[in-house]
Amino acid sequence: KAVVDVVGVDLGLLSFEALKYSSYVTHNHLRTITPDVVMGLIKQSDDLDLDSVRTSLKNKNKKELCKSLYKITVKSSTDPAMLMLRGRGGPLDILYSLLLVKQSVAKKRSADEIASRLGIPLWSLQKDLINVSRKWDTKTLKNILFELADLETSLLKGCPNSWVAFQTILLKYL
């Protein structure tokens, strides 16, 4: 339950977490994955501050994004790329929401309809996402999302340095 509370119900992210635990147990010549192993490894990703990453992406602030990604690098003893790709409220989630909002606004949909279709609170859409989506052009958002999707595929196939690749993709477009 602790794993689901931290990373959500996405099966890809849960399988990555299970792989992390089994790799740790194998590497340390342990027999089973105990609650202590899970809590020891999950704590690192639970402590990561994604708010500063979200804010810097929304503001298209490259300097602040660099600082935020550096803090995550320092705090995390594991590769945080999968959490950033699949985590609820992570950069990929934010960028995808911005693209959907931008496309819906372009189709002249009402704020109520956009909020309903995307499952976003109306106040959040009106206060934040519509204005933020105007800072980004559709082509850039699509390019970032395609590159991050490619990175996720590489990560699942064993990309050796996915965190560096993740940071490079985000910074490239700001």
Side-chain angles (χ1 to χ4, degrees), residues 92-111:
L92 184 63
D93 187 40
I94 295 295
L95 293 167
Y96 184 63
S97 295
L98 291 175
L99 177 63
L100 294 177
V101 167
K102 189 161 195 63
Q103 290 174 332
S104 296
V105 168
K107 292 178 181 175
K108 308 236 186 274
R109 292 194 173 121
S110 70

Side-chain angles (χ1 to χ4, degrees), residues 108-125:
K108 308 236 186 274
R109 292 194 173 121
S110 70
D112 287 329
E113 184 181 359
I114 296 170
S116 174
R117 284 180 179 231
L118 301 181
I120 300 170
L122 181 61
W123 64 268
S124 175
L125 178 71

Side-chain angles (χ1 to χ4, degrees), residues 12 38 57 81 91 96 98 103-104 133 135 143 155 169:
V38 172
L57 276 174
Y96 184 63
L98 291 175
Q103 290 174 332
S104 296
S133 72
K135 295 179 183 179
N143 287 339
L155 187 103
I169 291 168

Side-chain angles (χ1 to χ4, degrees), residues 5-171:
D5 288 343
V6 171
V7 300
V9 296
D10 183 280
L11 291 178
L13 193 52
L14 288 170
S15 68
F16 180 75
E17 288 295 315
L19 177 62
K20 180 169 69 172
Y21 307 138
S22 72
S23 297
Y24 178 84
V25 166
T26 302
H27 178 74
N28 291 299
H29 308 292
L30 303 172
R31 296 189 116 182
T32 59
I33 299 172
T34 64
D36 290 336
V37 168
V38 172
M39 294 313 289
L41 293 174
I42 204 167
K43 186 172 188 250
Q44 290 124 11
S45 61
D46 192 28
D47 290 342
L48 299 179
D49 175 26
L50 296 182
D51 284 337
S52 60
V53 174
R54 284 190 290 264
T55 302
S56 58
L57 276 174
K58 287 178 179 179
N59 294 328
K60 292 186 80 172
N61 187 329
K62 190 180 246 181
K63 184 177 178 181
E64 288 304 313
L65 182 59
C66 285
K67 287 180 186 177
S68 300
L69 294 173
Y70 177 74
K71 286 178 188 174
I72 289 171
T73 302
V74 170
K75 274 188 153 185
S76 181
S77 62
T78 60
D79 185 345
M82 185 59 90
L83 176 67
M84 300 294 270
L85 288 167
R86 294 236 177 140
R88 284 181 283 177
L92 184 63
D93 187 40
I94 295 295
L95 293 167
Y96 184 63
S97 295
L98 291 175
L99 177 63
L100 294 177
V101 167
K102 189 161 195 63
Q103 290 174 332
S104 296
V105 168
K107 292 178 181 175
K108 308 236 186 274
R109 292 194 173 121
S110 70
D112 287 329
E113 184 181 359
I114 296 170
S116 174
R117 284 180 179 231
L118 301 181
I120 300 170
L122 181 61
W123 64 268
S124 175
L125 178 71
Q126 291 173 325
K127 179 183 174 203
D128 191 29
L129 291 176
I130 289 177
N131 291 331
V132 171
S133 72
R134 290 182 180 126
K135 295 179 183 179
W136 292 87
D137 66 85
T138 303
K139 184 177 179 181
T140 300
L141 286 170
K142 285 181 178 180
N143 287 339
I144 294 171
L145 292 170
F146 283 133
E147 286 195 43
L148 291 174
D150 287 344
L151 172 63
E152 182 179 358
T153 302
S154 298
L155 187 103
L156 294 172
K157 291 180 179 177
C159 174
N161 208 341
S162 55
W163 179 236
V164 172
F166 176 81
Q167 294 176 86
T168 303
I169 291 168
L170 287 183
L171 292 170

